Amino acid sequence: MRLNFDGTTPMSRMLLLSALLLHSDFHVVLERPVFVAAGDLVSYRDDTLVVTDPVGEQHRCPARDSYWICR
């Protein structure tokens, strides 16, 4: 499934994220899995996944590891 982590596109369904492919060649593994509810906004800034709920409250989930994939 392709998701937008731009902070402006709401998630269409609830997800459990533990790792993500931020770009086609950049992989991020989170410190612990995070639930993202439908309607939440998600962005990735400064090695941290930021989830903003519809009320505006932000939750931060730091990355444990991130790396470029060499192909």
Side-chain angles (χ1 to χ4, degrees):
M1 174 189 313
R2 185 167 178 85
L3 303 172
N4 289 321
F5 293 104
D6 57 8
T8 59
T9 306
M11 293 292 114
S12 59
R13 65 170 82 176
M14 184 163 68
L15 302 168
L16 176 63
L17 294 175
S18 59
L20 54 113
L21 196 59
L22 191 60
H23 304 289
S24 63
D25 57 354
F26 190 71
H27 190 259
V28 177
V29 179
L30 301 175
E31 276 189 4
R32 58 188 173 168
V34 61
F35 276 106
V36 178
D40 285 352
L41 304 175
V42 181
S43 61
Y44 186 76
R45 296 179 283 206
D46 302 323
D47 293 332
T48 303
L49 185 76
V50 180
V51 180
T52 306
D53 64 21
V55 180
E57 187 175 336
Q58 290 189 340
H59 305 278
R60 299 181 182 280
C61 189
R64 178 183 63 193
D65 192 17
S66 58
Y67 51 89
W68 292 100
I69 301 170
C70 299
R71 295 182 185 186

